[in-house]
Amino acid sequence: MALDPVDWHGRWNHIKKLLERGGPFAHPDFEASPETLGFILESCKILVIGAGGLGCELLKDLALLGFRKIDVIDMDTIDVSNLNRQFLFRRSDVGKPKAECAAAFVNARVPGCEVTPHYAKIQDFDSSFYRQFHILVCGLDSIVARRWINGMLISLLNYEDGMVDQQSIIPMVDGGTEGFKGNGRVILPGMTACVECTLELYPPQVNFPMCTIAHTPRLPEHCIEYARVLLWPQEKPFGEEVNIDGDDPQHIKWIFEKSLERAREYQITGVTYRLTQGVVKRIIPAVASTNAVISAACATEVFKLATSCCPPLNNYVNFNDTEGVYTYTFEIERKEDCPVCSQVPQPLNFSEDSKLQEIIDYLTESTTYQMKSPGITTMIDGKNRTLYMQTIQSIRQRTKENLKKSLQELGLTHGQEIYVADPTTPNALVFKLNFTTDMEHK
Amino acid sequence: MSGEKESLDKTRKYDRQLRLWGDHGQCALESAKVCLINATATGTEILKNLILPGVGSFTIVDGKKVTGEDVGNNFFLDKDKIGESRAQVATDLLLELNEDVTGNFMEESPELLLERNPEFFDTFTIVVAVDLPERVLHKLSGHLWEKDIPLMVVRAYGLIGSIRLVAREHTVIESHPDNAHEDLRLDRPFPGLTQYCDSLDLSTMKKKDHSHTPWLVIIFKYLQIWKEQHGGAAPKNYKEKNEFKKLIQQGVLRNEEGVPEVEENFDEAINNVNVSLVPTSIPSAVQNIFNDSECVNLQPESKPFWILARAVKDFVESVGEGALPLRGTIPDMTADSERYIQLQQVYRQQAAVEAEWVANRVQQLLQSLGKSKDTITEADVKLFCRNASFLRVLQYRSIAQEYDPATAKIGELVGNIEESDEDDAIWYILLRAVDKFYADFNRYPGVYDDQVEADIPKLKTCLAKLLHEYGNVYNIKDDFVHEMCRYGAAEIHSVASFLGGVAAQEAIKIITGQFVPMNNTYIYNAMKQTSVTVEL
């Protein structure tokens, strides 16, 4: 293979050994050949989602594994507290968009690498954007975002005679970390368990009960939540309509001082500035090492998926180095009736006297769906009708009275298809209304 | 930047990690000096993960020049510096990561430096070595073992990796276990707890107080009732515990219609019956610490850890009556603020009294050893007592012990592998075989394409010779030998980066004395994303 002018002698010696030599542990489809390196260098398009703790590591790893056509999406700007691990950023970069800084750094350090940054949200792109990539790899800190991108990839699948068309599958490698714990997984949409299949792996965040915060505080956290949730809206210390900005030291200082007052009243010890910030911003501790580990595992998987030099992870690994170094690897199974990837219609079992609010509550509270702010539409007499939508103020005003109406009153019938939109999914989920005589819910 | 402003800024920068190891852990990290031998991709990745969190300083020892191959897999080398000192180029690029860290280099072969001036290594907190031939490893590890300086040896080899940690004796006070049992003493209540619980009378309480009485108190009271009914014994088995739960259930207030009210504190009490009936005991790891000769026979050179351990042991054997000093914390539970804080105070006060006994004992011991009072502070004692259940001591075997046929455990390893060749420990054997190959042929197997096939039988022979040296005869499947030749000592960046993360955190554990390091060899299999830790 002729030397690309941007390359130099010996540059790819290390990875060539995996690509130009077969071995007993390679993927059955693997054929040792110099063409695989060519594919990685010239054609393989990777999308990295997130340019933070995991994203910086992923970009470095992928670039040094030979990937050149890399896009990266991140909607955030750089903060001082990122600098202990997000190593593509310097102090002088604070305030700049992460995606742009990360791309510039890697492109300068790794000649020939073309990282294209997108300072945007994943939701700003549609299927035509995502369809162009061979593999996706995510370093997200949000379950909602994971579910959204998962939904997007599932929506790109083509089915023929009930079988998924392999060409339409875009593999997704997903990593997550928290302190000294982390996990990585390989998702082949339509074939292996998807994010939604395993929603129970992400239990909803537990908040402190309001009555504890308001009447019986015992922990310093209760005092902080009191200041954040009750006092701030009452006292509006920085003006009407000014919401808490966790990154504004003035805001944190105000909450900290009010928390101390509350704590003093009840003789509770332990309120510190650090704790206050942690509670208000829901801070998750983070170090460079765990991010390096999980990203590296994910990058290795991307490399395997792109080259077949070795079979990919099947399909989930847990990591924890609090005590010794522990990994646990296992195969997560698909959920047969997964709302997103199974193509099985989802039933909504309610009596016709149930109020629409009950359906909303079910969708948000059930561990199967864990929706954030569902909006419901349906077809009545051939016309699309919005029953309730809370994400747009004017529509919410118009439709909120429907919440108190019964399904029958709203003109819904047994077997009717209901479409539910939510931030956790790019396309509406389809449910089938199933009138029951009892107040039975699935 | 002024001192105060600088420290505030560092607090902001390191905020996310300070929440894990605290300001004192950070202090230890910032006082540490790390030596890296060889600035390969694996080496620089390890350093990166130490520099970013703020390690005090680092020194790279590397005699090699930067090659094209090096730049291809190493983020901290530059193609324009091919031919220059690898140590220098890597140092420069690594220093860009954190302005708080100082770094320098020695452009010299580690083997020659070890020959010429082994004391060079004596000032380091920990030495990290990559890409060392066996003969240099033995010299280095022998010297560091003598000087009691921790050593970590890391290798990335194709899709396999290994980390070996040597630290002689490593003590941990703050192990931060993920799932710690509470220290509530319901099986042997201290007088303050009894007094407090006795001062409350559930039967005369109105609903508000009744529903907000801490579950701790509820279990205490019902335990009293149960013991009266059962000759002084606590519920023993599954059947009795269920009856006990039912007894508590009966205590729930009822309304005028006789329907039980919702009393979350009673629900919590019932849910906590099993856990609170577990007898107070001393974990075996801590028992072993007390029985260790270093605890029993204190010397003037004894580390503070052992003096503290001895004081706690003396506590256990006298006023502690077989129990460790009280931890002094209680979990959150449904309760009104006032009584929760009162109960919390009861535990805190008892813990303080017991810690004070230990502190006095520590001073006595220090005096008898002719050491200054300030060797161990009150804060040290409090920290130690709070963590008494979580103390750990790790003894490491040396590299010499690992390799010496008289003491090697490689035979055990082979025995386990025979059960299942899914065991990742098999790769340790192959890495040892590859080192033998290097010793014989002065190169690794399969480095060049035309060597791969021919090296397979050669590596197989090395493997057989290796096992024979340890008195083993085992036929490891040819597949594994073939795969090692395929790798040709390739250092894949993502494998190097994975190991860089794991190894750096092990180094941080050694440096800060917090969390528990592994003991002593970690094998990583990137093919299956599995790993195993073995003691060799």
Side-chain angles (χ1 to χ4, degrees), chain A residues 134-181:
Chain A
H134 290 94
I135 304 171
L136 251 69
V137 57
C138 300
L140 288 163
D141 59 0
S142 147
I143 295 158
V144 170
R146 270 187 185 92
R147 293 171 70 185
W148 192 94
I149 194 71
N150 178 71
M152 169 56 72
L153 291 183
I154 305 282
S155 75
L156 295 179
L157 295 174
N158 292 324
Y159 285 85
E160 273 165 27
D161 303 324
M163 297 287 286
V164 70
D165 169 20
Q166 300 276 319
Q167 301 283 56
S168 64
I169 297 179
I170 299 177
M172 177 167 107
V173 182
D174 178 65
T177 62
E178 192 174 311
F180 296 122
K181 301 191 176 128

Side-chain angles (χ1 to χ4, degrees), chain A residues 290-324:
Chain A
T290 319
N291 281 314
V293 167
I294 295 299
S295 309
C298 290
T300 300
E301 292 308 309
V302 173
F303 187 77
K304 290 181 198 171
L305 288 163
T307 64
S308 295
C309 69
C310 173
L313 164 67
N314 180 22
N315 52 39
Y316 189 96
V317 60
N318 255 337
F319 173 87
N320 186 344
D321 63 356
T322 314
E323 173 161 0

